[in-house]
Amino acid sequence: MDLQKHHKPTFDNISPEKRVRILDTATKEFAFKGFENANMSTIAKKAGVSVGSLYKYFENKQDLFLTTIQYSIQSMEELLNVLAVSEEDVLVKVERIIREIQRSSKENATLIKLYNGMTAENNPRFASQFAYEMEAMTARIYRIAIEEGKKTGDVRPDIDSAFAAFLLDNIFMSLQFSYACDYYKERFRIYAGNDITERDDFVVEQCLKFVKSALKK
Amino acid sequence: MDLQKHHKPTFDNISPEKRVRILDTATKEFAFKGFENANMSTIAKKAGVSVGSLYKYFENKQDLFLTTIQYSIQSMEELLNVLAVSEEDVLVKVERIIREIQRSSKENATLIKLYNGMTAENNPRFASQFAYEMEAMTARIYRIAIEEGKKTGDVRPDIDSAFAAFLLDNIFMSLQFSYACDYYKERFRIYAGNDITERDDFVVEQCLKFVKSALKK
Amino acid sequence: MDLQKHHKPTFDNISPEKRVRILDTATKEFAFKGFENANMSTIAKKAGVSVGSLYKYFENKQDLFLTTIQYSIQSMEELLNVLAVSEEDVLVKVERIIREIQRSSKENATLIKLYNGMTAENNPRFASQFAYEMEAMTARIYRIAIEEGKKTGDVRPDIDSAFAAFLLDNIFMSLQFSYACDYYKERFRIYAGNDITERDDFVVEQCLKFVKSALKK
Amino acid sequence: MDLQKHHKPTFDNISPEKRVRILDTATKEFAFKGFENANMSTIAKKAGVSVGSLYKYFENKQDLFLTTIQYSIQSMEELLNVLAVSEEDVLVKVERIIREIQRSSKENATLIKLYNGMTAENNPRFASQFAYEMEAMTARIYRIAIEEGKKTGDVRPDIDSAFAAFLLDNIFMSLQFSYACDYYKERFRIYAGNDITERDDFVVEQCLKFVKSALKK
DNA sequence: AATGAATGAGCATTCATTCAT
DNA sequence: TATGAATGAATGCTCATTCAT
């Protein structure tokens, strides 16, 4: 999982506080305004640094964006790693994932917005690069969980592990967006009622039922 | 399903050919470049009208965008209605949906890109409006199919129809993007192999297995 | 003498007054400040047009510069053509050239400053292009004059016409700069006295003596 | 010939090696990029000092430029002094000057580019200052040579020594630029053929013929 | 004295929108 | 109604210069 650097060495030298301030500010700006509408001067001002400095740390706007995305991917990775290590049953894992999505979507909505924006960038430059970095991580976790499930007999052997992982991720990625992003949130309400975002246990229960049937023998 | 108008009356008066030319051009521009990077003058030129005219038809760029989205929603609606009317078994419907996704993703990639871009617009103005117009349509189709399935005994009665529809749409929406949009396409390959977009039957088979188990008694 | 165009077609469509206003303003700005220090917004404002318009007429700053240079070359060409056509003796021509230099250097100092600036642009892009356009014109005039002089016996046959033309142009180009450009003007005074720019007849007399000897049999 | 200082006393205190490194680097940068495009940080980096130090040695960019020019004038002076001292005939001197121009133009092209750039600076601040420092030197050499020529009878007495020196310098300065600077080089080829920069003897021969006639009795 | 990170004014260029014809 | 030239605010990025260490 070798993340390419998209910043100049100078960015590694500044104080961690400043680094975090810049990345958090940039995350917010990019998440709420998108790549195009985000404004370098605004980011600089809000982060409490000069534009000049920003350009000392990053070659250009795109590189700040890429670094910001990587930062958010790392943050997500940290969240996911917690789930990855556990030795539990697939379905227990699924429940934990859903609950984690619900929790983090409230706490890290910005991160998810940013990630959502990224998935819609019609830009092959960005796309393939981050698809790999982001999805390689989750893909692995899901596939391993499913394969282990097959071994222990919790998961039926007649489905393709990789493809099932893909379908699971479809569900979870959409769910994640449904808690954090405008369009998806609205869609969530249309499908499941205006109060759906407050019925966390119901969501967990229904998802589990669906996934359990889908995977079980 | 009362679609709000986002264009001036003048747009209704021009020849249907010109109207279609403008909307098709705008669809392409917005789909490939996103809202911000799309250029009004370019759209005008490619559509063979003057910028002045464009602004006679639409108050501003946003309204052209909104109108374009509505136009694409209508196009999608036409595709979906074919599926909606059939009286078949849910699972047969599911197969038809997947095959339709595969077909239309190749033929109408632009439309889907545009739709994908729309889902990421971090703009409550746009979001709630179109979520409603777009999803109300599909939600209805899926929910009805599931409810009918329950009646005929094809679908287990213990799951919430609306929520199951939501989960189904999560899968199908993601699948649709996976055939047409850069990021999703890359992700699809990571999960299921580089040749996955050419293994249509395999995709159908795996999706069906998964969905069938998830829904059946 | 096919001058390449460095402006968009739109520039040909605007009123001649505006065109001249833009070119004159640009000539002044570039002549006094050089390419780098000239400011597009300033030029626009002084010319009474908007920056936007300037960029409708010219792709970029460089193209405005190139067009401005061509405009000044054309102006010079017009001056020179008067001299070219005459049927007189080389030396009479030389005298007329010198007097024309003295006259135009006072009247068209800006043009000459611009030309001088151009000769120092360390930019092969610019250089070869304009060297050709500019010098091909004068080279021809001088060489023809010398060749005719050889025929009529006014000029010694043992010198290379082309090279002699080069040497003549060295003298005249330097002289022209000496009347209009800061550095050259100062140098002129150092060599020939502080009042040299007011002793036009002396300059003519001395140049003629020098050139006459150099060329005559 | 009292050259004004344009650097802080600190510049005199550093090691001669460092001083030379800075001036050589600056010469190259200014010669190839011109005053505006030369970059202080780049010069510092290439010279192996910090920007901070550069500003310890020089008040500002302009002063580094001025100091660099003076350094190059000194270098030229050293070349010229060799010619100045000889006791030979004017025309022998002229030949030596031309050959020196040809030699140094290849070896010291950078210096000459810089000098050329300087002559086009539309800046009275710079201009008068350096015109004096640079030309006073050559003017003297040419005038003395011509005056001695008059005494020995090699040069006709009816021309003004100072003005003849000016005309000679016009020819030689242009010739020098013609070997080293983009615009002039192109112009040289237009006048005298594409291979002219390789026909050194021809150039010497033609120049000598021209100058000899111009000056002789 | 030396360093190089930080600053922010300044500039080229773009583009949604207007409006005279 | 149609046109497309005109507008000018907005923005990414550069670079001379400063200053804390």
PDB file of all heavy atoms in Angstrom, chain A residues 117-145:
ATOM      1  N   GLY A 117     -17.077  13.157  -3.240  1.00  0.00           N
ATOM      2  CA  GLY A 117     -16.716  14.067  -4.328  1.00  0.00           C
ATOM      3  C   GLY A 117     -15.671  13.432  -5.219  1.00  0.00           C
ATOM      4  O   GLY A 117     -15.723  13.536  -6.447  1.00  0.00           O
ATOM      5  N   MET A 118     -14.736  12.773  -4.603  1.00  0.00           N
ATOM      6  CA  MET A 118     -13.659  12.125  -5.345  1.00  0.00           C
ATOM      7  C   MET A 118     -14.201  11.057  -6.297  1.00  0.00           C
ATOM      8  O   MET A 118     -13.741  10.937  -7.435  1.00  0.00           O
ATOM      9  CB  MET A 118     -12.712  11.489  -4.349  1.00  0.00           C
ATOM     10  CG  MET A 118     -11.515  10.826  -4.946  1.00  0.00           C
ATOM     11  SD  MET A 118     -10.637   9.905  -3.636  1.00  0.00           S
ATOM     12  CE  MET A 118     -11.394   8.286  -3.770  1.00  0.00           C
ATOM     13  N   THR A 119     -15.179  10.302  -5.835  1.00  0.00           N
ATOM     14  CA  THR A 119     -15.697   9.228  -6.686  1.00  0.00           C
ATOM     15  C   THR A 119     -16.406   9.766  -7.923  1.00  0.00           C
ATOM     16  O   THR A 119     -16.648   9.024  -8.867  1.00  0.00           O
ATOM     17  CB  THR A 119     -16.715   8.338  -5.935  1.00  0.00           C
ATOM     18  OG1 THR A 119     -17.850   9.139  -5.593  1.00  0.00           O
ATOM     19  CG2 THR A 119     -16.116   7.752  -4.692  1.00  0.00           C
ATOM     20  N   ALA A 120     -16.730  11.046  -7.894  1.00  0.00           N
ATOM     21  CA  ALA A 120     -17.442  11.606  -9.031  1.00  0.00           C
ATOM     22  C   ALA A 120     -16.544  12.450  -9.924  1.00  0.00           C
ATOM     23  O   ALA A 120     -16.974  12.933 -10.968  1.00  0.00           O
ATOM     24  CB  ALA A 120     -18.624  12.443  -8.555  1.00  0.00           C
ATOM     25  N   GLU A 121     -15.292  12.637  -9.513  1.00  0.00           N
ATOM     26  CA  GLU A 121     -14.359  13.378 -10.361  1.00  0.00           C
ATOM     27  C   GLU A 121     -14.230  12.629 -11.672  1.00  0.00           C
ATOM     28  O   GLU A 121     -13.775  11.490 -11.701  1.00  0.00           O
ATOM     29  CB  GLU A 121     -12.981  13.477  -9.700  1.00  0.00           C
ATOM     30  CG  GLU A 121     -12.818  14.568  -8.678  1.00  0.00           C
ATOM     31  CD  GLU A 121     -12.955  15.969  -9.263  1.00  0.00           C
ATOM     32  OE1 GLU A 121     -12.682  16.134 -10.464  1.00  0.00           O
ATOM     33  OE2 GLU A 121     -13.360  16.887  -8.522  1.00  0.00           O
ATOM     34  N   ASN A 122     -14.598  13.276 -12.728  1.00  0.00           N
ATOM     35  CA  ASN A 122     -14.513  12.613 -14.022  1.00  0.00           C
ATOM     36  C   ASN A 122     -13.113  12.790 -14.563  1.00  0.00           C
ATOM     37  O   ASN A 122     -12.898  13.354 -15.608  1.00  0.00           O
ATOM     38  CB  ASN A 122     -15.504  13.246 -14.988  1.00  0.00           C
ATOM     39  CG  ASN A 122     -16.431  12.184 -15.505  1.00  0.00           C
ATOM     40  OD1 ASN A 122     -17.583  12.444 -15.687  1.00  0.00           O
ATOM     41  ND2 ASN A 122     -15.938  10.970 -15.710  1.00  0.00           N
ATOM     42  N   ASN A 123     -12.182  12.347 -13.783  1.00  0.00           N
ATOM     43  CA  ASN A 123     -10.807  12.624 -14.117  1.00  0.00           C
ATOM     44  C   ASN A 123      -9.953  11.368 -13.933  1.00  0.00           C
ATOM     45  O   ASN A 123      -9.599  11.022 -12.818  1.00  0.00           O
ATOM     46  CB  ASN A 123     -10.308  13.723 -13.208  1.00  0.00           C
ATOM     47  CG  ASN A 123      -9.062  14.332 -13.770  1.00  0.00           C
ATOM     48  OD1 ASN A 123      -8.267  13.647 -14.389  1.00  0.00           O
ATOM     49  ND2 ASN A 123      -8.896  15.619 -13.562  1.00  0.00           N
ATOM     50  N   PRO A 124      -9.649  10.718 -15.031  1.00  0.00           N
ATOM     51  CA  PRO A 124      -8.879   9.478 -14.945  1.00  0.00           C
ATOM     52  C   PRO A 124      -7.585   9.644 -14.138  1.00  0.00           C
ATOM     53  O   PRO A 124      -7.163   8.729 -13.463  1.00  0.00           O
ATOM     54  CB  PRO A 124      -8.587   9.153 -16.409  1.00  0.00           C
ATOM     55  CG  PRO A 124      -9.666   9.808 -17.167  1.00  0.00           C
ATOM     56  CD  PRO A 124      -9.992  11.057 -16.412  1.00  0.00           C
ATOM     57  N   ARG A 125      -6.967  10.830 -14.225  1.00  0.00           N
ATOM     58  CA  ARG A 125      -5.759  11.080 -13.425  1.00  0.00           C
ATOM     59  C   ARG A 125      -6.016  10.720 -11.980  1.00  0.00           C
ATOM     60  O   ARG A 125      -5.304   9.957 -11.358  1.00  0.00           O
ATOM     61  CB  ARG A 125      -5.421  12.580 -13.428  1.00  0.00           C
ATOM     62  CG  ARG A 125      -4.581  13.095 -14.538  1.00  0.00           C
ATOM     63  CD  ARG A 125      -4.407  14.616 -14.350  1.00  0.00           C
ATOM     64  NE  ARG A 125      -5.688  15.320 -14.084  1.00  0.00           N
ATOM     65  CZ  ARG A 125      -5.810  16.600 -13.782  1.00  0.00           C
ATOM     66  NH1 ARG A 125      -4.745  17.347 -13.673  1.00  0.00           N
ATOM     67  NH2 ARG A 125      -6.986  17.150 -13.574  1.00  0.00           N
ATOM     68  N   PHE A 126      -7.023  11.378 -11.428  1.00  0.00           N
ATOM     69  CA  PHE A 126      -7.362  11.169 -10.034  1.00  0.00           C
ATOM     70  C   PHE A 126      -7.877   9.751  -9.816  1.00  0.00           C
ATOM     71  O   PHE A 126      -7.420   9.017  -8.959  1.00  0.00           O
ATOM     72  CB  PHE A 126      -8.475  12.123  -9.594  1.00  0.00           C
ATOM     73  CG  PHE A 126      -8.109  13.566  -9.617  1.00  0.00           C
ATOM     74  CD1 PHE A 126      -9.108  14.532  -9.526  1.00  0.00           C
ATOM     75  CD2 PHE A 126      -6.786  13.985  -9.701  1.00  0.00           C
ATOM     76  CE1 PHE A 126      -8.795  15.876  -9.521  1.00  0.00           C
ATOM     77  CE2 PHE A 126      -6.466  15.331  -9.693  1.00  0.00           C
ATOM     78  CZ  PHE A 126      -7.477  16.283  -9.613  1.00  0.00           C
ATOM     79  N   ALA A 127      -8.837   9.412 -10.645  1.00  0.00           N
ATOM     80  CA  ALA A 127      -9.629   8.210 -10.422  1.00  0.00           C
ATOM     81  C   ALA A 127      -8.806   6.968 -10.168  1.00  0.00           C
ATOM     82  O   ALA A 127      -8.848   6.392  -9.075  1.00  0.00           O
ATOM     83  CB  ALA A 127     -10.553   7.986 -11.611  1.00  0.00           C
ATOM     84  N   SER A 128      -8.048   6.567 -11.154  1.00  0.00           N
ATOM     85  CA  SER A 128      -7.396   5.270 -11.022  1.00  0.00           C
ATOM     86  C   SER A 128      -6.449   5.273  -9.835  1.00  0.00           C
ATOM     87  O   SER A 128      -6.320   4.273  -9.127  1.00  0.00           O
ATOM     88  CB  SER A 128      -6.644   4.919 -12.304  1.00  0.00           C
ATOM     89  OG  SER A 128      -5.820   5.975 -12.676  1.00  0.00           O
ATOM     90  N   GLN A 129      -5.821   6.412  -9.642  1.00  0.00           N
ATOM     91  CA  GLN A 129      -4.881   6.503  -8.549  1.00  0.00           C
ATOM     92  C   GLN A 129      -5.510   6.219  -7.200  1.00  0.00           C
ATOM     93  O   GLN A 129      -5.036   5.380  -6.425  1.00  0.00           O
ATOM     94  CB  GLN A 129      -4.291   7.906  -8.549  1.00  0.00           C
ATOM     95  CG  GLN A 129      -3.148   8.031  -7.622  1.00  0.00           C
ATOM     96  CD  GLN A 129      -2.344   9.261  -7.980  1.00  0.00           C
ATOM     97  OE1 GLN A 129      -1.567   9.702  -7.195  1.00  0.00           O
ATOM     98  NE2 GLN A 129      -2.546   9.830  -9.163  1.00  0.00           N
ATOM     99  N   PHE A 130      -6.595   6.919  -6.928  1.00  0.00           N
ATOM    100  CA  PHE A 130      -7.194   6.779  -5.617  1.00  0.00           C
ATOM    101  C   PHE A 130      -8.097   5.588  -5.487  1.00  0.00           C
ATOM    102  O   PHE A 130      -8.259   5.051  -4.398  1.00  0.00           O
ATOM    103  CB  PHE A 130      -7.919   8.045  -5.237  1.00  0.00           C
ATOM    104  CG  PHE A 130      -6.921   9.057  -4.922  1.00  0.00           C
ATOM    105  CD1 PHE A 130      -6.796  10.199  -5.669  1.00  0.00           C
ATOM    106  CD2 PHE A 130      -6.021   8.819  -3.891  1.00  0.00           C
ATOM    107  CE1 PHE A 130      -5.800  11.099  -5.376  1.00  0.00           C
ATOM    108  CE2 PHE A 130      -5.033   9.720  -3.595  1.00  0.00           C
ATOM    109  CZ  PHE A 130      -4.918  10.864  -4.342  1.00  0.00           C
ATOM    110  N   ALA A 131      -8.690   5.201  -6.607  1.00  0.00           N
ATOM    111  CA  ALA A 131      -9.495   3.988  -6.540  1.00  0.00           C
ATOM    112  C   ALA A 131      -8.604   2.907  -5.968  1.00  0.00           C
ATOM    113  O   ALA A 131      -8.972   2.195  -5.037  1.00  0.00           O
ATOM    114  CB  ALA A 131      -9.974   3.593  -7.927  1.00  0.00           C
ATOM    115  N   TYR A 132      -7.407   2.825  -6.500  1.00  0.00           N
ATOM    116  CA  TYR A 132      -6.522   1.787  -6.035  1.00  0.00           C
ATOM    117  C   TYR A 132      -6.230   1.918  -4.550  1.00  0.00           C
ATOM    118  O   TYR A 132      -6.410   0.988  -3.763  1.00  0.00           O
ATOM    119  CB  TYR A 132      -5.220   1.770  -6.829  1.00  0.00           C
ATOM    120  CG  TYR A 132      -4.465   0.522  -6.508  1.00  0.00           C
ATOM    121  CD1 TYR A 132      -4.801  -0.689  -7.094  1.00  0.00           C
ATOM    122  CD2 TYR A 132      -3.470   0.536  -5.535  1.00  0.00           C
ATOM    123  CE1 TYR A 132      -4.162  -1.855  -6.746  1.00  0.00           C
ATOM    124  CE2 TYR A 132      -2.819  -0.630  -5.174  1.00  0.00           C
ATOM    125  CZ  TYR A 132      -3.172  -1.829  -5.784  1.00  0.00           C
ATOM    126  OH  TYR A 132      -2.549  -2.980  -5.413  1.00  0.00           O
ATOM    127  N   GLU A 133      -5.787   3.110  -4.173  1.00  0.00           N
ATOM    128  CA  GLU A 133      -5.386   3.295  -2.782  1.00  0.00           C
ATOM    129  C   GLU A 133      -6.530   3.059  -1.803  1.00  0.00           C
ATOM    130  O   GLU A 133      -6.354   2.482  -0.736  1.00  0.00           O
ATOM    131  CB  GLU A 133      -4.817   4.709  -2.592  1.00  0.00           C
ATOM    132  CG  GLU A 133      -3.505   4.867  -3.363  1.00  0.00           C
ATOM    133  CD  GLU A 133      -2.848   6.210  -3.125  1.00  0.00           C
ATOM    134  OE1 GLU A 133      -3.386   7.024  -2.354  1.00  0.00           O
ATOM    135  OE2 GLU A 133      -1.786   6.452  -3.719  1.00  0.00           O
ATOM    136  N   MET A 134      -7.687   3.510  -2.208  1.00  0.00           N
ATOM    137  CA  MET A 134      -8.827   3.410  -1.310  1.00  0.00           C
ATOM    138  C   MET A 134      -9.421   2.012  -1.287  1.00  0.00           C
ATOM    139  O   MET A 134      -9.611   1.412  -0.238  1.00  0.00           O
ATOM    140  CB  MET A 134      -9.906   4.390  -1.776  1.00  0.00           C
ATOM    141  CG  MET A 134     -11.127   4.444  -0.904  1.00  0.00           C
ATOM    142  SD  MET A 134     -10.780   5.194   0.713  1.00  0.00           S
ATOM    143  CE  MET A 134     -12.185   4.627   1.663  1.00  0.00           C
ATOM    144  N   GLU A 135      -9.704   1.516  -2.467  1.00  0.00           N
ATOM    145  CA  GLU A 135     -10.490   0.293  -2.535  1.00  0.00           C
ATOM    146  C   GLU A 135      -9.658  -0.951  -2.278  1.00  0.00           C
ATOM    147  O   GLU A 135     -10.166  -1.950  -1.764  1.00  0.00           O
ATOM    148  CB  GLU A 135     -11.191   0.195  -3.885  1.00  0.00           C
ATOM    149  CG  GLU A 135     -12.045   1.412  -4.226  1.00  0.00           C
ATOM    150  CD  GLU A 135     -13.184   1.661  -3.227  1.00  0.00           C
ATOM    151  OE1 GLU A 135     -13.529   0.751  -2.462  1.00  0.00           O
ATOM    152  OE2 GLU A 135     -13.706   2.794  -3.209  1.00  0.00           O
ATOM    153  N   ALA A 136      -8.391  -0.894  -2.639  1.00  0.00           N
ATOM    154  CA  ALA A 136      -7.546  -2.061  -2.412  1.00  0.00           C
ATOM    155  C   ALA A 136      -7.640  -2.451  -0.936  1.00  0.00           C
ATOM    156  O   ALA A 136      -7.644  -3.626  -0.584  1.00  0.00           O
ATOM    157  CB  ALA A 136      -6.109  -1.743  -2.794  1.00  0.00           C
ATOM    158  N   MET A 137      -7.772  -1.435  -0.130  1.00  0.00           N
ATOM    159  CA  MET A 137      -7.830  -1.604   1.317  1.00  0.00           C
ATOM    160  C   MET A 137      -9.122  -2.300   1.748  1.00  0.00           C
ATOM    161  O   MET A 137      -9.092  -3.344   2.409  1.00  0.00           O
ATOM    162  CB  MET A 137      -7.786  -0.207   1.906  1.00  0.00           C
ATOM    163  CG  MET A 137      -7.625  -0.105   3.357  1.00  0.00           C
ATOM    164  SD  MET A 137      -7.274   1.658   3.700  1.00  0.00           S
ATOM    165  CE  MET A 137      -8.889   2.398   3.379  1.00  0.00           C
ATOM    166  N   THR A 138     -10.234  -1.746   1.350  1.00  0.00           N
ATOM    167  CA  THR A 138     -11.510  -2.332   1.776  1.00  0.00           C
ATOM    168  C   THR A 138     -11.747  -3.665   1.083  1.00  0.00           C
ATOM    169  O   THR A 138     -12.232  -4.613   1.694  1.00  0.00           O
ATOM    170  CB  THR A 138     -12.685  -1.393   1.458  1.00  0.00           C
ATOM    171  OG1 THR A 138     -12.744  -1.181   0.055  1.00  0.00           O
ATOM    172  CG2 THR A 138     -12.506  -0.049   2.137  1.00  0.00           C
ATOM    173  N   ALA A 139     -11.367  -3.707  -0.202  1.00  0.00           N
ATOM    174  CA  ALA A 139     -11.576  -4.945  -0.944  1.00  0.00           C
ATOM    175  C   ALA A 139     -10.948  -6.110  -0.198  1.00  0.00           C
ATOM    176  O   ALA A 139     -11.548  -7.171  -0.008  1.00  0.00           O
ATOM    177  CB  ALA A 139     -10.967  -4.824  -2.345  1.00  0.00           C
ATOM    178  N   ARG A 140      -9.750  -5.899   0.240  1.00  0.00           N
ATOM    179  CA  ARG A 140      -9.008  -6.943   0.937  1.00  0.00           C
ATOM    180  C   ARG A 140      -9.753  -7.388   2.205  1.00  0.00           C
ATOM    181  O   ARG A 140      -9.923  -8.571   2.465  1.00  0.00           O
ATOM    182  CB  ARG A 140      -7.630  -6.389   1.294  1.00  0.00           C
ATOM    183  CG  ARG A 140      -6.606  -7.433   1.690  1.00  0.00           C
ATOM    184  CD  ARG A 140      -5.257  -6.757   1.902  1.00  0.00           C
ATOM    185  NE  ARG A 140      -5.357  -5.523   2.692  1.00  0.00           N
ATOM    186  CZ  ARG A 140      -5.371  -5.483   4.027  1.00  0.00           C
ATOM    187  NH1 ARG A 140      -5.261  -6.587   4.717  1.00  0.00           N
ATOM    188  NH2 ARG A 140      -5.474  -4.327   4.664  1.00  0.00           N
ATOM    189  N   ILE A 141     -10.187  -6.417   2.956  1.00  0.00           N
ATOM    190  CA  ILE A 141     -10.864  -6.733   4.210  1.00  0.00           C
ATOM    191  C   ILE A 141     -12.117  -7.581   3.963  1.00  0.00           C
ATOM    192  O   ILE A 141     -12.324  -8.611   4.582  1.00  0.00           O
ATOM    193  CB  ILE A 141     -11.229  -5.438   4.964  1.00  0.00           C
ATOM    194  CG1 ILE A 141      -9.952  -4.727   5.405  1.00  0.00           C
ATOM    195  CG2 ILE A 141     -12.113  -5.757   6.169  1.00  0.00           C
ATOM    196  CD1 ILE A 141     -10.196  -3.374   6.028  1.00  0.00           C
ATOM    197  N   TYR A 142     -12.931  -7.147   3.015  1.00  0.00           N
ATOM    198  CA  TYR A 142     -14.164  -7.881   2.743  1.00  0.00           C
ATOM    199  C   TYR A 142     -13.876  -9.274   2.186  1.00  0.00           C
ATOM    200  O   TYR A 142     -14.475 -10.261   2.597  1.00  0.00           O
ATOM    201  CB  TYR A 142     -15.046  -7.119   1.739  1.00  0.00           C
ATOM    202  CG  TYR A 142     -15.589  -5.824   2.268  1.00  0.00           C
ATOM    203  CD1 TYR A 142     -15.731  -4.716   1.432  1.00  0.00           C
ATOM    204  CD2 TYR A 142     -15.985  -5.690   3.606  1.00  0.00           C
ATOM    205  CE1 TYR A 142     -16.242  -3.519   1.906  1.00  0.00           C
ATOM    206  CE2 TYR A 142     -16.480  -4.487   4.090  1.00  0.00           C
ATOM    207  CZ  TYR A 142     -16.613  -3.409   3.242  1.00  0.00           C
ATOM    208  OH  TYR A 142     -17.105  -2.235   3.712  1.00  0.00           O
ATOM    209  N   ARG A 143     -12.956  -9.337   1.254  1.00  0.00           N
ATOM    210  CA  ARG A 143     -12.687 -10.627   0.625  1.00  0.00           C
ATOM    211  C   ARG A 143     -12.163 -11.635   1.642  1.00  0.00           C
ATOM    212  O   ARG A 143     -12.595 -12.787   1.692  1.00  0.00           O
ATOM    213  CB  ARG A 143     -11.706 -10.489  -0.529  1.00  0.00           C
ATOM    214  CG  ARG A 143     -11.666 -11.756  -1.394  1.00  0.00           C
ATOM    215  CD  ARG A 143     -10.949 -11.537  -2.711  1.00  0.00           C
ATOM    216  NE  ARG A 143      -9.672 -10.889  -2.475  1.00  0.00           N
ATOM    217  CZ  ARG A 143      -9.325  -9.701  -2.980  1.00  0.00           C
ATOM    218  NH1 ARG A 143     -10.155  -9.043  -3.749  1.00  0.00           N
ATOM    219  NH2 ARG A 143      -8.147  -9.180  -2.709  1.00  0.00           N
ATOM    220  N   ILE A 144     -11.246 -11.171   2.466  1.00  0.00           N
ATOM    221  CA  ILE A 144     -10.698 -12.062   3.487  1.00  0.00           C
ATOM    222  C   ILE A 144     -11.799 -12.536   4.434  1.00  0.00           C
ATOM    223  O   ILE A 144     -11.898 -13.730   4.743  1.00  0.00           O
ATOM    224  CB  ILE A 144      -9.574 -11.349   4.274  1.00  0.00           C
ATOM    225  CG1 ILE A 144      -8.349 -11.193   3.365  1.00  0.00           C
ATOM    226  CG2 ILE A 144      -9.199 -12.139   5.528  1.00  0.00           C
ATOM    227  CD1 ILE A 144      -7.252 -10.352   3.962  1.00  0.00           C
ATOM    228  N   ALA A 145     -12.638 -11.601   4.833  1.00  0.00           N
ATOM    229  CA  ALA A 145     -13.723 -11.968   5.742  1.00  0.00           C
ATOM    230  C   ALA A 145     -14.607 -13.044   5.108  1.00  0.00           C
ATOM    231  O   ALA A 145     -14.985 -14.030   5.745  1.00  0.00           O
ATOM    232  CB  ALA A 145     -14.555 -10.737   6.088  1.00  0.00           C
TER     233      ALA A 145
END
